Amino acid sequence: MNWATKVSALRNRLRLKQGAFADLIGSSQTYVSRLEAGKISPSPGIAQAIDRLVANPRTRTVFDDFVSTVRHSPHCSILVDLTKTDALIRAASRRVNDLFPDGKKLSQARHMTSMKADIAALLDAGIAEGLVGCGEALWLDKRGPDRHWRLTYVPVRDEANSWYLHTMLQEISARDYQDQLETTGRDNQITRIKPDAS
C-alpha cells in the first residue's frame, strides 16, 4: 500500500495542515511529514487510525462513493484500475460477480478476451492521459447459450489522479447486436477529446 499517497490525499481532502492531522491520528507533525515523504510506514496503531478516517462516511471522497455505487449497482458495472500492469478489477457489481466469477484480474477471465482488447485499444488511444471521452464495443459471450452485450467504457480519475475505467455491460438482443455490428463493426468505437484551441 502507498501510505504516502493515502495520507497526503486524506489530509488534503480534510483540508488539514500536517500538525492538525497529526493530532487527529495521535502522532506528531514530523511523523506525518515522514509518512507523506514515504520515508516510513505507519505503526499498526497509526495505520488503524488512518483507516478509520478513510472508512468514515464523513471523510470519504467522491471517488470512494463512486466505488461504492459501482459495487451496489443493480446493473452490470465494473471499475478497472488502469494503473496496474495487469488490469485489476477495483470494484464490480453483484450482478457482474454472479455472471463472471473469475477473480479480480481480467487476465484470469479467459472468456473476456474481447474486453481486454478493448482496454488495450483505449490505453493506446490515450485514455490514461485524458485524451479519450469514452468507448463503446460489442461482445459475444459464448460460454453457454450466446449472450450479446454492448459495453460502454468511461474514464474516471480519483483524487490522486490515478486513472480507472468504468465499464457498463448492457445485454442486448441478437438482432440489436447484429444491427450494431453491421453499422459500426466489431471494433471499439472510441470518442476522443479535442484539446482546447487556446
Side-chain angles (χ1 to χ4, degrees), residues 1-10 32-42:
M1 167 167 304
N2 186 342
W3 284 101
T5 302
K6 186 174 187 175
V7 169
S8 178
L10 177 60
V32 171
S33 176
R34 294 184 72 211
L35 271 174
E36 288 188 11
K39 294 180 180 175
I40 60 170
S41 292

Side-chain angles (χ1 to χ4, degrees), residues 125-151:
I127 200 161
E129 288 87 39
L131 301 176
V132 173
C134 67
E136 287 189 4
L138 295 174
W139 175 40
L140 177 58
D141 182 3
K142 293 182 149 295
R143 289 177 301 154
D146 287 355
R147 296 181 83 168
H148 304 82
W149 299 90
R150 178 183 299 123
L151 291 81

Side-chain angles (χ1 to χ4, degrees), residues 71-164:
R71 285 191 179 119
H72 295 94
S73 172
H75 306 288
C76 287
S77 183
I78 303 172
L79 188 63
V80 178
D81 185 344
L82 296 178
T83 63
K84 309 294 181 204
T85 51
D86 183 8
L88 181 72
I89 297 174
R90 166 76 186 267
S93 66
R94 187 171 293 130
R95 186 152 182 243
V96 165
N97 288 326
D98 291 344
L99 289 170
F100 315 110
D102 288 324
K104 287 284 188 191
K105 292 183 179 177
L106 286 177
S107 64
Q108 296 168 341
R110 290 182 301 278
H111 59 279
M112 291 188 160
T113 305
S114 172
M115 186 182 294
K116 290 181 272 189
D118 292 343
I119 291 172
L122 288 162
L123 285 167
D124 286 346
I127 200 161
E129 288 87 39
L131 301 176
V132 173
C134 67
E136 287 189 4
L138 295 174
W139 175 40
L140 177 58
D141 182 3
K142 293 182 149 295
R143 289 177 301 154
D146 287 355
R147 296 181 83 168
H148 304 82
W149 299 90
R150 178 183 299 123
L151 291 81
T152 304
Y153 301 102
V154 179
V156 179
R157 257 193 317 196
D158 69 6
E159 69 277 358
N161 286 323
S162 296
W163 285 95
Y164 295 83

